[in-house]
Amino acid sequence: MSDLLARLNPQQTEAVTLSAQHALVLAGAGSGKTRVLTTRIAWLLNNGLASPSGILAVTFTNKAAREMQTRIEAMLSASPRGMWIGTFHGLCNRLLRAHHRDAGLAPLFQILDTADQLSAVKRLLKTLNVDDEKFPPRDLLYFINAHKEAGLRPHAIEPLDDYTRRRTALYQEYEAQCQRESVVDFAELLLRCYELLQRNEPIRRHYQQRFRYILVDEFQDTNTLQYRWLKLLAAEGGEGGAALFCVGDDDQSIYRFRGAEVGNMRDFEREFQVRHVIRLEQNYRSHGNILEAANAIIRNNGDRLGKNLWTDRGAGEPVRVFEAMGDGDEARWIVEEIQALVRDGAMRADIALLYRSNAQSRILEHQLFANGIPYRVHGGLRFFERQEVKHALAYLRLIANADDDTAFMRVVNFPTRGIGARSQEALQDAARAGNISLHAAVPLLTGKSAAALGQFVRLVEELRRETETLPLPELVEHVIERSGLRAHYQAGKEGQDRLENLDELINAADNFRAESPGGEARAQPHALLADFLNHASLEAGDHQAGADADAVQLMTVHAAKGLEFDAVFLSGLEEELFPHANSLTDAGGLEEERRLMYVAVTRARERLYLSCAQSRSLHGQIHYHLRSRFLEEVPAELVKRLTPGGRHPQGWTVASGGFDRAAPAAALARDLPGGLRIGQNVRHPSFGLGVIVAAEGSGRDARAQINFGDAGVKWLILSLAKLEAA
């Protein structure tokens, strides 16, 4: 027994050795929560306080469940057969299989994954002749799942308008279809299991008496129904109920968009009259400066259960903060820092580049690719491999080459335009018979399918004519609009990320034009388009590093949850980017964004780099944002600030007392581009009135330091800033 407890600190030991009572363990990032959970189970079994069949352990991923099982078996002399360890969905499936008749299910009911569920919804709409433009399948799927996860069947929904009433009726039809076909989706597993336990007292009492200890991992991520399910099993308010041992961190609750309710932690403490709230605050992952930065940031959130991370590993390196002039400069700086780390012996796989939104990866990928640095996009696709980007590229490829059959097939019916599988097969048969392209075979068809295909061909031809004289970024934007791609993704609940990626494709085109020799003045835009499409192909596909390769890791902050790296770069720390613009008008949104920032910071073990840019490209235009408030929340004594040195973005120097804004003396003695001078009052379209206080560089690279009063002091590139004398 002493061996089990030997590696635990006092707080971990207290949690592991608690008697049979309800407990809430606030486990900070890197504080050893998995060790506590697994050791708790081993301790209960070794002391004879529980049998394996009396333990229920709930996790959120199958990977976490397998790791828990493996660790427990390593601590015990024998395999703990009979213990239930799994995800909410896995455990509910197991229970429903045992009681399928009482649950109203067929013995061999099948489970629909997310893709299968979407297909079932689409099939339902088609069967009922429902317009999927008015009722997009993904929206309806979201509506159904959200109500199931809130524990609401169709009859319990009170429609506030006709649209909700129609969706509620479709929800009811969907349930009937699933029952006929003996299938259940993920949300149904939990709801059906909850309803079974709620209404069937003998079955409920059986499991309440069987499971004397219920342990829950990542409790902050539970939704309303999951918490209600746990309360049923633990016999809340009843005599002889199970001891509920919940481990989580309210400061790392970042899945509100999936229905997670961080308030469940406080509700549990109150409803179960929890006497023991144990705080695991010793961090075994990060150096002190990183933890102090995380503590300072999260302290700005109200209504926390409260804890303060600390370590005995020492302060370590300061947090490095860099403010770039533009997003391209930021990406170049990040790549140069990575190269320096690798030269010093760092493994690329121990370096992570984090960002708030998927679209931000494009410019980082471009710089990594250009410098021959292998990388892997974790939990997602590389930019040019993403569905919406490939759709847009397919339209662009048809403009460049109408006989591109692969591109033709990709978008001939996307967005939906009534060209079904039979029409496409008929077209392919005609093309094969004539040994011609699909585009060329369209005039050979007759009937209804010919009309719809003819409209598509005319659309492509119109796009080609309409874009003949447009600059490349405007060409890409026009195609995204006219093809219907933007409208299609605007209509869906999950469209925000895809829309951001389409906007970033316009940025990619603008950057490509600027970087291409003669690109700004290319006489034939379609020739530049062909070069851009080749560039996109080169940066996609085969260059994705394998899972085991020594490659830099790219991911969103959400995808980084649960991971850790020696060095972490967090880019794009600007208002409306991180924190995201949507959060600024959403109740509770800013607090969730701050928790997300806390998660990002605590991924770093040795080095943490935070960066922002004064300007970013969007739709081929330069946009300016203020520095993120999260940067301001990091104490100055923890930070080493970096700033561009000299006239070239490749040279960086340390500014000891803040950002070094001193302008070279030579710049002070001359006029600036546009007839501006130091000391002159100017007006900016976003920042308003200001005064030029310093300048450096020349020609297109010239930039000026301008004091805009309440909007702050900014360095702006004069060729892009659209300044006017005031």
Side-chain angles (χ1 to χ4, degrees):
M1 189 55 55
S2 60
D3 290 343
L4 277 179
L5 305 179
R7 297 177 59 204
L8 303 181
N9 65 38
Q11 292 72 34
Q12 291 173 332
T13 302
E14 180 186 4
V16 165
T17 58
L18 272 180
S19 59
Q21 59 183 281
H22 302 308
L24 177 60
V25 180
L26 293 181
S31 64
K33 71 175 179 64
T34 304
R35 179 186 298 175
V36 167
L37 276 165
T38 53
T39 308
R40 167 75 170 165
I41 293 172
W43 185 83
L44 290 170
L45 295 175
N46 274 359
N47 276 280
L49 298 173
S51 65
S53 63
I55 290 177
L56 176 72
V58 189
T59 69
F60 268 84
T61 66
N62 291 316
K63 179 182 177 183
R66 287 192 297 269
E67 181 181 357
M68 190 179 292
Q69 182 85 35
T70 300
R71 288 200 192 190
I72 293 168
E73 290 179 357
M75 294 181 192
L76 302 173
S77 56
S79 175
R81 296 177 185 273
M83 184 166 52
W84 281 30
I85 298 179
T87 64
F88 280 100
H89 294 119
L91 294 170
C92 286
N93 176 52
R94 184 171 180 176
L95 198 148
L96 289 173
R97 295 285 176 191
H99 304 282
H100 61 86
R101 186 174 291 104
D102 296 288
L105 292 170
L108 299 177
F109 68 85
Q110 297 297 303
I111 299 172
L112 299 176
D113 62 19
T114 304
D116 292 335
Q117 187 186 13
L118 181 60
S119 296
V121 168
K122 289 178 178 178
R123 184 158 42 84
L124 175 74
L125 295 176
K126 187 173 183 179
T127 300
L128 299 175
N129 292 317
V130 174
D131 185 351
D132 60 7
E133 293 293 328
K134 293 182 179 178
F135 295 90
R138 288 188 183 276
D139 278 11
L140 182 58
L141 182 147
Y142 177 86
F143 177 85
I144 292 169
N145 289 345
H147 282 89
K148 285 188 179 186
E149 288 167 1
L152 296 175
R153 293 293 187 188
H155 64 80
I157 300 173
E158 296 183 7
L160 300 177
D161 51 47
D162 288 339
Y163 187 62
T164 304
R165 188 174 293 105
R166 287 287 308 278
R167 290 199 293 180
T168 302
L170 290 171
Y171 175 13
Q172 191 165 7
E173 292 288 348
Y174 168 79
E175 284 200 315
Q177 174 180 289
C178 289
Q179 191 67 27
R180 285 194 306 271
E181 298 175 1
S182 296
V183 295
V184 298
D185 53 55
F186 287 139
E188 181 70 18
L189 281 173
L190 188 61
L191 180 55
R192 186 74 66 109
C193 185
Y194 172 79
E195 291 171 340
L196 171 66
L197 293 172
Q198 185 184 46
R199 69 170 181 264
N200 193 310
E201 185 177 357
I203 292 176
R204 181 174 70 250
R205 287 196 175 278
H206 167 75
Y207 286 103
Q208 287 173 342
Q209 292 168 5
R210 171 177 177 166
F211 297 125
R212 309 310 298 159
Y213 292 89
I214 300 177
L215 302 94
V216 187
D217 190 14
E218 303 285 8
F219 186 58
Q220 77 280 351
D221 293 335
T222 53
N223 63 30
T224 299
L225 187 58
Q226 288 163 342
Y227 180 46
R228 287 165 61 184
W229 184 83
L230 288 168
K231 289 199 292 184
L232 264 185
L233 281 176
E236 178 204 3
E239 293 296 325
L244 197 50
F245 186 88
C246 297
V247 181
D249 182 2
D250 57 327
D251 291 334
Q252 294 189 78
S253 179
I254 60 173
Y255 296 120
R256 194 166 64 123
F257 66 96
R258 294 181 187 168
E261 289 286 349
V262 66
N264 286 347
M265 300 186 79
R266 283 201 180 277
D267 291 344
F268 168 59
E269 184 181 7
R270 183 186 69 257
E271 294 168 357
F272 283 81
Q273 299 178 357
V274 176
R275 300 195 308 274
H276 278 88
V277 177
I278 300 170
R279 288 169 170 80
L280 304 183
E281 298 173 301
Q282 183 174 0
N283 178 283
Y284 295 93
R285 175 188 301 160
S286 307
H287 281 150
N289 285 336
I290 294 170
L291 298 179
E292 286 302 317
N295 289 332
I297 292 166
I298 201 63
R299 208 172 284 133
N300 290 280
N301 268 2
D303 198 29
R304 297 173 58 229
L305 291 167
K307 65 185 177 310
N308 199 64
L309 298 179
W310 63 275
T311 184
D312 58 10
R313 296 186 62 202
E317 294 284 331
V319 177
R320 288 164 168 79
V321 176
F322 175 71
E323 183 173 11
M325 291 182 290
D327 48 3
D329 298 326
E330 180 190 35
R332 282 188 289 272
W333 172 76
I334 289 172
V335 167
E336 288 166 10
E337 289 291 331
I338 290 172
Q339 290 171 323
L341 289 173
V342 172
R343 284 195 300 270
D344 290 341
M347 298 288 290
R348 286 185 289 266
D350 289 330
I351 301 171
L353 273 62
L354 308 184
Y355 33 83
R356 174 62 181 85
S357 301
N358 269 308
Q360 292 172 249
S361 78
R362 202 276 310 169
I363 197 164
L364 297 170
E365 289 185 54
H366 175 67
Q367 283 300 323
L368 290 166
F369 177 79
N371 286 275
I373 299 174
Y375 68 92
R376 177 172 177 254
V377 178
H378 183 94
L381 298 171
R382 293 167 66 125
F383 179 79
F384 285 111
E385 295 174 327
R386 294 168 190 164
Q387 179 204 84
E388 59 281 5
V389 174
K390 293 190 76 170
H391 285 331
L393 290 173
Y395 278 104
L396 294 170
R397 284 166 55 185
L398 288 174
I399 290 174
N401 175 17
D403 294 326
D404 186 332
D405 285 356
T406 302
F408 190 102
M409 287 300 297
R410 184 175 188 92
V411 294
V412 65
N413 198 39
F414 193 95
T416 305
R417 48 178 61 91
I419 302 174
R422 289 186 179 178
S423 296
Q424 294 176 40
E425 289 172 7
L427 178 62
Q428 289 172 313
D429 289 343
R432 277 193 296 270
N435 194 27
I436 53 178
S437 70
L438 297 173
H439 174 270
V442 168
L444 303 180
L445 298 183
T446 58
K448 183 179 178 182
S449 60
L453 283 163
Q455 287 182 347
F456 174 68
V457 167
R458 283 192 294 276
L459 170 64
V460 172
E461 292 171 348
E462 288 168 4
L463 287 174
R464 185 179 299 110
R465 287 195 304 271
E466 292 164 357
T467 59
E468 281 178 345
T469 60
L470 291 180
L472 185 60
E474 283 84 346
L475 184 158
V476 174
E477 183 173 12
H478 182 78
V479 168
I480 290 171
E481 297 289 344
R482 277 276 279 122
S483 65
L485 287 175
R486 186 176 296 281
H488 172 81
Y489 290 118
Q490 282 174 335
K493 285 283 185 185
E494 301 175 0
Q496 183 60 41
D497 276 353
R498 300 192 187 278
L499 289 170
E500 290 177 0
N501 283 329
L502 290 176
D503 287 338
E504 188 57 31
L505 182 63
I506 300 169
N507 290 344
D510 188 49
N511 292 342
F512 182 80
R513 176 186 61 168
E515 294 173 2
S516 297
E520 295 279 1
R522 186 76 68 91
Q524 296 180 331
H526 285 179
L528 186 60
L529 170 63
D531 292 343
F532 176 64
L533 292 171
N534 290 334
H535 159 78
S537 297
L538 287 172
E539 288 206 9
D542 294 341
H543 304 288
Q544 172 83 317
D548 299 325
D550 182 26
V552 175
Q553 308 294 302
L554 272 67
M555 66 195 78
T556 64
V557 181
H558 279 104
K561 176 77 159 51
L563 304 177
E564 56 186 80
F565 305 91
D566 285 348
V568 168
F569 291 82
L570 179 58
S571 64
L573 280 166
E574 298 128 41
E575 291 291 300
E576 299 185 15
L577 195 57
F578 197 5
H580 197 280
N582 293 347
S583 72
L584 303 180
T585 56
D586 180 21
L590 183 58
E591 287 76 11
E592 177 110 343
E593 289 290 293
R594 188 172 280 110
R595 292 194 292 267
L596 194 58
M597 178 70 180
Y598 177 82
V599 167
V601 169
T602 54
R603 299 311 94 197
R605 290 191 288 248
E606 311 286 343
R607 289 173 178 260
L608 176 64
Y609 300 80
L610 308 177
S611 63
C612 63
Q614 293 181 4
S615 63
R616 286 191 184 272
S617 297
L618 183 64
H619 284 264
Q621 300 292 319
I622 303 297
H623 289 250
Y624 300 91
H625 293 116
L626 298 175
R627 284 159 49 102
S628 170
R629 67 193 71 196
F630 301 149
L631 275 178
E632 308 301 333
E633 292 171 1
V634 180
E637 62 270 19
L638 304 177
V639 169
K640 176 185 284 187
R641 296 188 184 273
L642 308 177
T643 188
R647 297 185 182 180
H648 303 288
Q650 289 77 14
W652 313 106
T653 58
V654 175
S656 57
F659 289 104
D660 179 8
R661 299 305 195 191
L668 303 178
R670 56 178 168 76
D671 289 339
L672 305 176
L676 302 174
R677 296 186 65 86
I678 292 172
Q680 183 173 359
N681 292 322
V682 292
R683 184 185 303 277
H684 185 272
S686 298
F687 303 130
L689 288 173
V691 59
I692 300 175
V693 296
E696 67 178 24
S698 61
R700 285 178 54 88
D701 296 327
R703 63 186 192 130
Q705 184 189 37
I706 305 170
N707 186 341
F708 288 106
D710 291 342
V713 178
K714 310 288 181 185
W715 276 98
L716 303 181
I717 300 172
L718 294 175
S719 62
L720 302 173
K722 299 182 180 178
L723 291 173
E724 296 178 354

